[in-house]
PDB file of all heavy atoms in Angstrom:
ATOM      1  N   GLU A 486    -167.467-184.089 -29.911  1.00  0.00           N
ATOM      2  CA  GLU A 486    -166.154-183.826 -30.494  1.00  0.00           C
ATOM      3  C   GLU A 486    -165.219-184.993 -30.199  1.00  0.00           C
ATOM      4  O   GLU A 486    -165.465-185.799 -29.295  1.00  0.00           O
ATOM      5  CB  GLU A 486    -165.627-182.489 -29.992  1.00  0.00           C
ATOM      6  CG  GLU A 486    -166.576-181.345 -30.384  1.00  0.00           C
ATOM      7  CD  GLU A 486    -166.005-179.967 -30.166  1.00  0.00           C
ATOM      8  OE1 GLU A 486    -165.145-179.796 -29.276  1.00  0.00           O
ATOM      9  OE2 GLU A 486    -166.427-179.047 -30.875  1.00  0.00           O
ATOM     10  N   GLN A 487    -164.116-185.094 -30.969  1.00  0.00           N
ATOM     11  CA  GLN A 487    -163.361-186.345 -31.028  1.00  0.00           C
ATOM     12  C   GLN A 487    -161.870-186.122 -30.805  1.00  0.00           C
ATOM     13  O   GLN A 487    -161.353-185.014 -30.974  1.00  0.00           O
ATOM     14  CB  GLN A 487    -163.586-187.004 -32.394  1.00  0.00           C
ATOM     15  CG  GLN A 487    -165.047-187.213 -32.745  1.00  0.00           C
ATOM     16  CD  GLN A 487    -165.238-187.511 -34.226  1.00  0.00           C
ATOM     17  OE1 GLN A 487    -164.306-187.425 -35.023  1.00  0.00           O
ATOM     18  NE2 GLN A 487    -166.466-187.872 -34.598  1.00  0.00           N
ATOM     19  N   ALA A 488    -161.189-187.217 -30.482  1.00  0.00           N
ATOM     20  CA  ALA A 488    -159.738-187.179 -30.304  1.00  0.00           C
ATOM     21  C   ALA A 488    -159.169-188.583 -30.480  1.00  0.00           C
ATOM     22  O   ALA A 488    -159.891-189.577 -30.386  1.00  0.00           O
ATOM     23  CB  ALA A 488    -159.375-186.616 -28.934  1.00  0.00           C
ATOM     24  N   PHE A 489    -157.866-188.639 -30.732  1.00  0.00           N
ATOM     25  CA  PHE A 489    -157.192-189.929 -30.848  1.00  0.00           C
ATOM     26  C   PHE A 489    -155.756-189.806 -30.365  1.00  0.00           C
ATOM     27  O   PHE A 489    -155.163-188.723 -30.322  1.00  0.00           O
ATOM     28  CB  PHE A 489    -157.215-190.448 -32.294  1.00  0.00           C
ATOM     29  CG  PHE A 489    -156.308-189.688 -33.228  1.00  0.00           C
ATOM     30  CD1 PHE A 489    -154.972-190.053 -33.376  1.00  0.00           C
ATOM     31  CD2 PHE A 489    -156.777-188.598 -33.952  1.00  0.00           C
ATOM     32  CE1 PHE A 489    -154.130-189.348 -34.223  1.00  0.00           C
ATOM     33  CE2 PHE A 489    -155.944-187.898 -34.805  1.00  0.00           C
ATOM     34  CZ  PHE A 489    -154.617-188.272 -34.952  1.00  0.00           C
ATOM     35  N   ILE A 490    -155.204-190.945 -30.003  1.00  0.00           N
ATOM     36  CA  ILE A 490    -153.773-191.082 -29.731  1.00  0.00           C
ATOM     37  C   ILE A 490    -153.286-192.277 -30.544  1.00  0.00           C
ATOM     38  O   ILE A 490    -153.881-193.348 -30.493  1.00  0.00           O
ATOM     39  CB  ILE A 490    -153.484-191.323 -28.239  1.00  0.00           C
ATOM     40  CG1 ILE A 490    -153.937-190.129 -27.401  1.00  0.00           C
ATOM     41  CG2 ILE A 490    -152.001-191.579 -28.011  1.00  0.00           C
ATOM     42  CD1 ILE A 490    -153.790-190.356 -25.910  1.00  0.00           C
ATOM     43  N   SER A 491    -152.208-192.081 -31.285  1.00  0.00           N
ATOM     44  CA  SER A 491    -151.679-193.138 -32.150  1.00  0.00           C
ATOM     45  C   SER A 491    -150.190-193.300 -31.886  1.00  0.00           C
ATOM     46  O   SER A 491    -149.474-192.296 -31.728  1.00  0.00           O
ATOM     47  CB  SER A 491    -151.926-192.780 -33.626  1.00  0.00           C
ATOM     48  OG  SER A 491    -151.506-193.814 -34.480  1.00  0.00           O
ATOM     49  N   ASN A 492    -149.727-194.543 -31.822  1.00  0.00           N
ATOM     50  CA  ASN A 492    -148.323-194.823 -31.505  1.00  0.00           C
ATOM     51  C   ASN A 492    -147.741-195.850 -32.467  1.00  0.00           C
ATOM     52  O   ASN A 492    -148.396-196.851 -32.787  1.00  0.00           O
ATOM     53  CB  ASN A 492    -148.185-195.350 -30.073  1.00  0.00           C
ATOM     54  CG  ASN A 492    -148.651-194.361 -29.032  1.00  0.00           C
ATOM     55  OD1 ASN A 492    -147.990-193.362 -28.785  1.00  0.00           O
ATOM     56  ND2 ASN A 492    -149.798-194.630 -28.434  1.00  0.00           N
ATOM     57  N   ASN A 493    -146.537-195.593 -32.903  1.00  0.00           N
ATOM     58  CA  ASN A 493    -145.757-196.546 -33.704  1.00  0.00           C
ATOM     59  C   ASN A 493    -144.440-196.817 -32.990  1.00  0.00           C
ATOM     60  O   ASN A 493    -143.888-195.922 -32.336  1.00  0.00           O
ATOM     61  CB  ASN A 493    -145.418-195.981 -35.088  1.00  0.00           C
ATOM     62  CG  ASN A 493    -146.578-196.049 -36.054  1.00  0.00           C
ATOM     63  OD1 ASN A 493    -147.631-196.596 -35.738  1.00  0.00           O
ATOM     64  ND2 ASN A 493    -146.404-195.506 -37.236  1.00  0.00           N
ATOM     65  N   ASN A 494    -143.912-198.004 -33.152  1.00  0.00           N
ATOM     66  CA  ASN A 494    -142.526-198.239 -32.748  1.00  0.00           C
ATOM     67  C   ASN A 494    -141.936-199.332 -33.625  1.00  0.00           C
ATOM     68  O   ASN A 494    -142.621-200.280 -34.009  1.00  0.00           O
ATOM     69  CB  ASN A 494    -142.406-198.576 -31.263  1.00  0.00           C
ATOM     70  CG  ASN A 494    -143.006-199.903 -30.897  1.00  0.00           C
ATOM     71  OD1 ASN A 494    -142.389-200.951 -31.100  1.00  0.00           O
ATOM     72  ND2 ASN A 494    -144.226-199.883 -30.342  1.00  0.00           N
TER      73      ASN A 494
END
Side-chain angles (χ1 to χ4, degrees):
E486 300 191 332
Q487 306 165 352
F489 72 88
I490 297 175
S491 184
N492 298 288
N493 282 355
N494 68 80

